[in-house]
Amino acid sequence: MDNKKPKSVFKQGAISSEFIADSIAKHQTKTSIGAHNIFLGQVRADVIQNKTVSAIEYTAYEEMANNKFHEIREATFEKFELTCMHIYHSLGLVKAGEICLFVFVSSPHRKMVFEALEYVVEEIKSKVPVFGKEIFEDNSHQWKINN
Amino acid sequence: MQITIKYFGLLSEVTGCKEEVYEFSGGSIAKLIDELYVKHPSLRNKEFQVAQNQELVPLKTELISNEIVLLPPFSGG
């Protein structure tokens, strides 16, 4: 299973629709798959004390983060019957409306992908050392806190 | 012993550095953090976790690595 090897999950800047579409297209040759499920995290233009978030700048403790992504992948493959899984997270500046997280799980059957995707996304949110700096339109900022 | 301390996110902002080399006489991570509070009083009221060898560890853990990383609450995704 080539997709179980540790690799960097991070991409500089936003994750483009073209990249996502291309990832989907690449799976057309894997005909044991019957169900895909995709999560896309998008930067929200939150309004906080009358100021609007225009972008989030992501940084990460990359060595630990890549290890954690790898552990999450391994645990997910153990828990769920998946054919493959892909995770991409942005680093650097991602503007409001752009995609910062792309999780893609595939399985022969639909039930597995619904459960697996939620598990992966929640694990990423709680266990991976990534930090978002919310930048407002006036260039002031605050550090994002996940709910 | 000389150890490298790395600060991420808000913590690098309040300490004014992303990393620094610190001379530590040895002991627990809690002891190190107490010393860092003296050097960077702005850290005192901040929430963070500590990673040693790329794993989160309780403060009572003995320091064994020459690199310690202070991590504010995660906010990926």
Side-chain angles (χ1 to χ4, degrees):
Chain A
M1 295 277 263
D2 61 344
N3 47 25
K4 282 194 181 183
K5 272 184 246 158
K7 57 180 180 181
S8 180
V9 158
F10 292 110
K11 289 183 73 69
Q12 202 59 41
I15 298 164
S16 70
S17 328
E18 292 76 16
F19 180 83
I20 295 161
D22 191 45
S23 299
I24 298 168
K26 278 180 184 158
H27 287 74
Q28 290 175 348
T29 54
K30 297 190 179 185
T31 49
S32 67
I33 294 171
H36 298 298
N37 201 5
I38 287 174
F39 177 86
L40 300 174
Q42 174 168 297
V43 172
R44 237 184 0 250
D46 275 351
V47 179
I48 302 159
Q49 292 172 342
N50 293 324
K51 294 196 291 188
T52 306
V53 172
S54 63
I56 294 181
E57 185 178 28
Y58 289 101
T59 50
Y61 177 22
E62 285 188 60
E63 301 94 322
M64 178 176 162
N66 278 316
N67 281 347
K68 290 291 160 196
F69 277 122
H70 181 64
E71 284 172 23
I72 293 168
R73 288 175 62 82
E74 295 286 287
T76 308
F77 274 115
E78 264 180 40
K79 281 172 87 81
F80 305 97
E81 186 204 339
L82 295 183
T83 311
C84 60
M85 160 174 21
H86 304 274
I87 305 171
Y88 299 95
H89 197 298
S90 294
L91 282 183
L93 206 65
V94 182
K95 291 180 198 152
E98 293 182 329
I99 302 299
C100 56
L101 173 62
F102 170 29
V103 182
F104 187 177
V105 294
S106 310
S107 168
H109 305 289
R110 71 184 181 285
K111 283 196 175 157
M112 276 297 151
V113 293
F114 290 134
E115 287 177 33
L117 186 68
E118 181 172 7
Y119 173 79
V120 175
V121 173
E122 292 306 319
E123 287 286 286
I124 291 171
K125 292 260 181 189
S126 66
K127 293 194 177 156
V128 182
V130 175
F131 312 100
K133 184 162 95 172
E134 292 174 318
I135 298 168
F136 297 104
E137 285 164 338
D138 64 357
N139 278 332
S140 60
H141 70 267
Q142 73 168 22
W143 290 89
K144 182 171 175 258
I145 296 166
N146 276 356
N147 298 313
Chain B
M1 62 195 286
Q2 284 204 326
I3 46 175
T4 301
I5 322 269
K6 289 186 176 178
Y7 302 97
F8 279 88
L10 173 67
L11 306 178
S12 68
E13 210 166 272
V14 301
T15 59
C17 62
K18 289 188 170 170
E19 64 175 80
E20 62 181 347
V21 175
Y22 186 79
E23 183 66 36
F24 184 54
S25 59
S28 67
I29 288 170
K31 178 169 171 259
L32 171 69
I33 298 298
D34 277 341
E35 293 183 22
L36 292 178
Y37 282 152
V38 175
K39 185 169 183 195
H40 301 290
S42 54
L43 274 178
R44 277 178 199 275
N45 58 355
K46 297 295 176 290
E47 189 187 336
F48 60 86
Q49 294 177 287
V50 178
Q52 171 165 257
N53 295 327
Q54 298 176 16
E55 286 294 335
L56 297 177
V57 290
L59 292 183
K60 63 176 191 287
T61 310
E62 196 71 9
L63 188 141
I64 49 168
S65 172
N66 55 8
E67 183 178 287
I68 290 294
V69 183
L70 272 62
L71 301 165
F74 303 164
S75 53

